[in-house]
Amino acid sequence: MYWPMGGAQIYSANRRRRKASKSQDNLEEDDEEEDNAAPILGLRTSRSGHLLATITATTMTVWQTSPLVVLAAASRSAASLRSYGPNVAVHLRPDASIAVIQTLNGFLVTYSIIVDPTARVYQQIREGVNQRKATGTDSVILEKEKAGFREVRIKSRLVIRIDAGIAAALALDNEIVVATQKPAAVQCIKWTPDDAGKQTSTELTNHMAWMQNASRITDMIHDRAMSLTVWITSDGKAYAVQRLPDESDGNQKLFRGYGFHSPEGQGTEAMKAAINARFSLLAVGCPQGEIHVYVARDYAGSIPPSHKLPSPATVSTTGQITSMSYSPDGYCLMVGYEHGWAMWSVYGKPGASSFSADETLSAINGEGWLASVKSLSWVNAGFGVLLTCVDDSRLWEVEMTKSAVTTCFSTANISRTVLLSSSGLILYRGFDLPTTTTISADAPLWQHVAIPTGYLMNQKPMRCVVTSLDGRYVAVAGRRGLAHYSIGSGRWKTFDDTESENAFIVRGGMCWYQHILIAAIESDDTYELRLYSRELGLNATSVLHVEHLPSAVVTLSIAGQDSLLVYTFENVLYHYILNAASNSVKLFQVGQLALHGIVRAPPRVRAVTWILPEFQMRNGDPSQDVAHASVLFLVDAKLVLLQSSTNEAGLKYDMRVVAHNVEYFDLMRDRGTLLRSPDHSQPQTPSEEDTPVNGLHSHRGLYDSLWYFDGESVRCWMDVEDILMPSTTENERDVPQPVTIAVDFYPTSVMLNRGVILGLDSEIIQRRDAHFAYMRHGIRTQLFLHDILRRHLSQFDLAAASILALRYQDLPYFSHALELLLHTVLDEEVDAGRDSDTSLMPHVVSFLSSFPDYLDIVVQCTRKTEVRSWRTLFAYLPSPQQLFEESLEKDLLKTAGGYLLILHTFQELETSSEQCVRLLQRAKEAGDWDLCKELARFLMALDASGETLREALSRMNLEPSRETNVQSTDGSVLLSTSQAPKGQQLQHPNGNIDRPRDSTEGEGPRTSSEGFLSPNGTVVSEDYFSSRS
């Protein structure tokens, strides 16, 4: 997932000057900007992302994206504007060699963009300045800065007239595709004529049998990786289209397509579209702001719906969709609206949005990037987004940070939150801090690490990042070479010479094994696994071990303690054993598994791991692991299980899809020693010597659990053996349902030892004392323990629930987790109206009664629940009177005070309550005068005349003085006593006790300034009887 960071950078190709102050007349004026520049009307980026073109009504400007600078501009003459009309849109050939300007009068004005590799612009010339002598990396950086950038020239090419009118246009590698208005047709105009001198071919839409109606095409987008184009038509439909190869027959069809989106009603017509080649998704934006996402399974028209993305706000707030685009790696969708923008993860988790910004402040500060979006484009390999706004001549660049999982799918990256920006790393350090600090949203838990400047300038952007399981090391890889960092020492290690650094490319990922970095590299058409030690420098001779491979690596991962799994493009999974000696580490291949006919497209595999039986892990021969392992593949967004079995023919594998729309998954047994923490406040990881229990699940707790995120919720199989059990059919519905944990933020890690899910959320910061807004991401956490316990109890596995709870009972928020369990089940019981035979409440109450905080949990749950739910709760509990007596026996005076409220609500407490007097006496003996004050308030709520309170004080040998009075003028009561301790009065800190409102029959007293019950009958928790922990 992606998160915006910092403020937006502003760029403009127009000269901007300030008005001179009128100092002659002794008048001072604020500087004002003269901005008569024409607004930007269009934006297009090349396929590589290095160049982009923008247009105004008269001018085209060519920019370099990193850094963002103007390289060239071409302004049309007045005669050209009169003949062809002003500029309307710009189209850029994918290699940025040709730019096409679409005009208002239906012409295509083409330009050649020529990059001169010898000429330079923006060169730094320093004359007569004492420059310090730079050596090493600094000298290389200085020379690059002095060299400037390659010069770009724009040359007029030709003008093409489209008599039928231009409805939409699309620039491709070999041709420009133009959709005409009258008649509705599609013309393909080659950049250069073919051998026969032919340059143009046309096909009418009413001759395309696969189009349901001969409608006019309004928009077209193309994706080269999928070799697919999406057409949007005037009737609101969307088609997936492929260009057919050219043949000598002049009557051949040009296109073949399939309709996949048809409007189901008003507001569901297709307006804009985006293609995600990485996950084979097609997104269609509708007028109501909703986005329909489809999955393209093949090229034969199988494009079923995948999911829907709701509008981030009402249509009146967002406006219509103006543009939409997936990030280069496909993990994020950004959508521009008439009044802002919003982001989603690939399968629908909402991310950052501009609609929470203060419109007034945005208008005052002139921050158009928060107010409107005309077009947007991802640049710098996804580390930035360029925005253009309505009636604005400026470009706005928003910097992005992304999860390390998007660059390298590994268990370490998932278990430890690491973010990557354009210039450095952002590491979450809460794993190494006490539990209460980890879940604090205010604690500074981020460590910012800058990537070495020399490596960054030579090899940016960074393409791969991986951390170690223990969080001690991080490695990065750019376009070439690699570098690694030690968090403990704070030192980077890079290659000593650029020749060694440029000699290879990291392709297929990296991973850490203790202090050894394993990298899959490609060098001179050879493919290798290289092992580098963190303790040694990086150079050509520091490689500990080299393992040659027959093909490139798709992905690699550490499985278990010393196994390395390597999956290659030849569709073979290799199994290596890491043998670490005192001075060296070597790889030994012990098995391999050919997956021909099982995995159809190896590049679609994002991650691989396997599950070994317990007996094989303990005492088995590693060479036989392949025969016993069940392999888990993440293919696009499908979690695929390849399960081994034997029959008369020998070894075979059964394949099942166990989950869909998977953004990432986490098999806890792959974390190994990460689950063992020295923090005494965390539950201990189960060990092999633990005593088994007679439950449905293993005594190992969640050590064998499997977690994944599907874009909506985090889901968990508590024991991976649940999905390994043989099924009677090959139907994925036979897979048991996982535990669903709802989250309202994007989850990045499951902190198993702490019982929480860690995630990030973006927010916009606007201050009245600052003239700009900026984005930041904050820590979010979500407890999952109560959801896991609920699943155990629903399966009548009380033993497994108890064992699991014992592992987490030392957490400071364990009681809160149990309270959430009771509250969740109670709400479901009340809403569903279940009878006692099917109710889960008896099992929950029985489970909670075994914990020492049982009485506090019950009273806190009631005080945060509506009164109508109390009857359902106490139908399975002892009477409130009995719980009150039990609280007194255990000296839980505050808890007993909470049960007084319940007794009164149930009308089991008389005005002259013996229980209240007893509790007041106990509070006096304990010296808890705050509790005495609250009990006095409670007695005044029962009897506004004060007689009940006087009687109680009398029975406690605290005779009230004759000065006691009731002030009715302001609705308050002042109680003074001559026998209060230390000569003080028994009174409210402000000198009075507020008079409560009259109670309502059946609901008890209502709340006063700090009252007990709210007017709607729910209990207010912010009072003395609430938990102080």
Side-chain angles (χ1 to χ4, degrees), residues 520-534:
I521 66 100
E522 176 183 350
S523 177
D524 297 330
D525 295 329
T526 62
Y527 309 100
E528 301 171 349
L529 294 176
R530 291 186 181 178
L531 276 63
Y532 296 92
S533 173
R534 171 62 198 176

Side-chain angles (χ1 to χ4, degrees), residues 311-334:
S311 176
T314 62
V315 180
S316 60
T317 302
T318 64
Q320 301 292 326
I321 294 176
T322 58
S323 57
M324 51 194 302
S325 176
Y326 279 99
S327 60
D329 55 19
Y331 279 90
C332 178
L333 173 65
M334 188 170 188

Side-chain angles (χ1 to χ4, degrees), residues 65-101:
T65 58
S66 181
L68 193 62
V69 293
V70 175
L71 298 180
S75 296
R76 293 174 54 201
S77 65
S80 174
L81 293 173
R82 287 193 302 269
S83 301
Y84 308 136
N87 301 337
V88 174
V90 61
H91 307 280
L92 197 62
R93 184 171 170 173
D95 60 0
S97 61
I98 299 177
V100 181
I101 295 179

Side-chain angles (χ1 to χ4, degrees), residues 649-793:
L651 183 66
K652 71 170 186 176
Y653 289 90
D654 299 323
M655 186 177 69
R656 287 188 298 163
V657 178
V658 297
H660 291 272
N661 296 356
V662 178
E663 296 195 15
Y664 64 84
F665 74 93
D666 192 1
L667 182 62
M668 288 300 165
R669 65 164 59 180
D670 285 345
R671 294 192 179 186
T673 57
L674 178 64
L675 296 178
R676 298 176 174 84
S677 172
D679 189 350
H680 65 84
S681 66
Q682 302 176 25
Q684 297 298 319
T685 301
S687 61
E688 298 178 359
E689 291 77 14
D690 289 341
T691 304
V693 298
N694 295 324
L696 298 178
H697 290 276
S698 168
H699 65 286
R700 297 163 67 86
L702 297 176
Y703 175 79
D704 282 326
S705 58
L706 175 62
W707 302 69
Y708 71 93
F709 177 61
D710 63 359
E712 294 183 0
S713 306
V714 177
R715 304 182 188 272
C716 166
W717 283 290
M718 297 176 292
D719 194 329
V720 73
E721 294 293 334
D722 293 343
I723 64 173
L724 298 181
M725 295 179 181
S727 59
T728 56
T729 65
E730 296 182 357
N731 194 324
E732 62 187 85
R733 290 176 297 180
D734 295 330
V735 177
Q737 289 296 319
V739 179
T740 300
I741 304 166
V743 291
D744 60 353
F745 54 86
Y746 191 88
T748 57
S749 301
V750 178
M751 303 179 71
L752 192 65
N753 283 338
R754 307 192 179 188
V756 298
I757 297 171
L758 177 72
L760 299 180
D761 202 0
S762 293
E763 59 178 336
I764 299 177
I765 305 300
Q766 290 177 294
R767 299 172 51 128
R768 297 189 179 275
D769 58 349
H771 299 291
F772 62 93
Y774 62 94
M775 306 290 299
R776 73 177 182 186
H777 42 259
I779 299 285
R780 295 288 303 277
T781 54
Q782 170 71 47
L783 280 170
F784 65 77
L785 183 57
H786 61 287
D787 293 304
I788 303 295
L789 292 174
R790 186 185 181 283
R791 173 57 65 89
H792 281 308
L793 296 175

Side-chain angles (χ1 to χ4, degrees), residues 510-522:
M510 302 181 290
C511 62
W512 287 93
Y513 174 73
Q514 298 176 7
H515 66 286
I516 304 299
L517 176 63
I518 305 172
I521 66 100
E522 176 183 350

Side-chain angles (χ1 to χ4, degrees), residues 633-654:
F633 286 95
L634 184 57
V635 183
D636 286 342
K638 296 179 180 178
L639 191 58
V640 180
L641 175 65
L642 196 63
Q643 193 168 358
S644 62
S645 61
T646 55
N647 55 15
E648 297 178 356
L651 183 66
K652 71 170 186 176
Y653 289 90
D654 299 323

Side-chain angles (χ1 to χ4, degrees), residues 235-427:
D235 58 356
K237 296 181 179 179
Y239 296 86
V241 182
Q242 279 190 296
R243 179 74 159 89
L244 298 176
D246 293 332
E247 296 181 3
S248 58
D249 185 3
N251 296 324
Q252 70 138 43
K253 299 294 182 181
L254 298 179
F255 299 96
R256 176 184 61 199
Y258 303 92
F260 65 91
H261 175 84
S262 297
E264 300 175 353
Q266 187 176 3
T268 60
E269 300 88 355
M271 289 185 60
K272 294 290 181 179
I275 301 176
N276 187 336
R278 185 66 185 88
F279 293 91
S280 303
L281 299 177
L282 309 177
V284 176
C286 302
Q288 295 295 331
E290 191 177 54
I291 300 171
H292 298 246
V293 184
Y294 300 81
V295 55
R297 293 179 176 174
D298 53 38
Y299 293 101
S302 177
I303 311 177
S306 173
H307 57 281
K308 292 183 181 180
L309 306 179
S311 176
T314 62
V315 180
S316 60
T317 302
T318 64
Q320 301 292 326
I321 294 176
T322 58
S323 57
M324 51 194 302
S325 176
Y326 279 99
S327 60
D329 55 19
Y331 279 90
C332 178
L333 173 65
M334 188 170 188
V335 180
Y337 295 85
E338 291 177 335
H339 306 310
W341 50 266
M343 300 173 67
W344 287 269
S345 71
V346 59
Y347 284 103
K349 176 57 68 174
S353 170
S354 68
F355 298 109
S356 60
D358 188 320
E359 296 181 5
T360 303
L361 281 178
S362 299
I364 293 174
N365 297 332
E367 295 190 289
W369 67 290
L370 297 175
S372 66
V373 173
K374 184 175 181 61
S375 59
L376 65 88
S377 179
W378 294 85
V379 293
N380 298 335
F383 290 109
V385 174
L386 290 179
L387 304 174
T388 63
C389 307
V390 179
D391 297 329
D392 195 341
S393 62
R394 297 168 294 178
L395 281 175
W396 302 80
E397 183 178 14
V398 182
E399 185 179 359
M400 293 287 171
T401 58
K402 57 184 177 181
S403 171
V405 180
T406 63
T407 66
C408 181
F409 197 109
S410 70
T411 299
N413 281 349
I414 296 173
S415 60
R416 290 185 174 271
T417 301
V418 178
L419 304 182
L420 175 65
S421 68
S422 59
S423 59
L425 305 172
I426 306 176
L427 311 176

Side-chain angles (χ1 to χ4, degrees), residues 53-320:
T54 61
I55 61 163
T56 64
T58 61
T59 305
M60 180 183 70
T61 307
V62 178
W63 306 66
Q64 175 182 283
T65 58
S66 181
L68 193 62
V69 293
V70 175
L71 298 180
S75 296
R76 293 174 54 201
S77 65
S80 174
L81 293 173
R82 287 193 302 269
S83 301
Y84 308 136
N87 301 337
V88 174
V90 61
H91 307 280
L92 197 62
R93 184 171 170 173
D95 60 0
S97 61
I98 299 177
V100 181
I101 295 179
Q102 176 184 334
T103 68
L104 184 63
N105 296 342
F107 289 85
L108 298 177
V109 183
T110 63
Y111 295 89
S112 295
I113 300 177
I114 304 170
V115 179
D116 191 339
T118 59
R120 314 293 289 186
V121 294
Y122 297 109
Q123 289 180 293
Q124 297 184 14
I125 302 176
R126 302 180 181 181
E127 297 180 353
V129 179
N130 293 327
Q131 303 180 32
R132 67 179 179 86
K133 295 182 179 180
T135 58
T137 303
D138 292 338
S139 63
V140 175
I141 297 172
L142 190 60
E143 291 300 321
K144 282 183 173 291
E145 291 178 348
K146 288 182 178 180
F149 313 115
R150 292 178 297 177
E151 183 181 6
V152 169
R153 292 183 287 113
I154 301 176
K155 183 179 180 181
S156 180
R157 198 167 181 268
L158 58 90
V159 178
I160 304 172
R161 178 177 179 178
I162 308 297
D163 295 328
I166 303 174
L170 182 65
L172 302 178
D173 290 315
N174 301 319
E175 61 190 7
I176 181 170
V177 181
V178 181
T180 61
Q181 295 178 344
K182 293 181 181 181
V186 180
Q187 292 186 2
C188 297
I189 306 172
K190 296 182 182 299
W191 298 116
T192 57
D194 56 17
D195 296 338
K198 185 178 179 181
Q199 191 171 3
T200 304
S201 54
T202 305
E203 183 177 3
L204 297 173
T205 57
N206 57 11
H207 291 175
M208 300 176 184
W210 45 270
M211 290 191 71
Q212 299 176 4
N213 298 312
S215 303
R216 177 172 51 89
I217 299 171
T218 60
D219 194 16
M220 297 184 294
I221 60 168
H222 178 76
D223 186 84
R224 183 190 182 191
M226 291 187 69
S227 185
L228 194 70
T229 304
V230 174
W231 291 357
I232 305 296
T233 58
S234 57
D235 58 356
K237 296 181 179 179
Y239 296 86
V241 182
Q242 279 190 296
R243 179 74 159 89
L244 298 176
D246 293 332
E247 296 181 3
S248 58
D249 185 3
N251 296 324
Q252 70 138 43
K253 299 294 182 181
L254 298 179
F255 299 96
R256 176 184 61 199
Y258 303 92
F260 65 91
H261 175 84
S262 297
E264 300 175 353
Q266 187 176 3
T268 60
E269 300 88 355
M271 289 185 60
K272 294 290 181 179
I275 301 176
N276 187 336
R278 185 66 185 88
F279 293 91
S280 303
L281 299 177
L282 309 177
V284 176
C286 302
Q288 295 295 331
E290 191 177 54
I291 300 171
H292 298 246
V293 184
Y294 300 81
V295 55
R297 293 179 176 174
D298 53 38
Y299 293 101
S302 177
I303 311 177
S306 173
H307 57 281
K308 292 183 181 180
L309 306 179
S311 176
T314 62
V315 180
S316 60
T317 302
T318 64
Q320 301 292 326

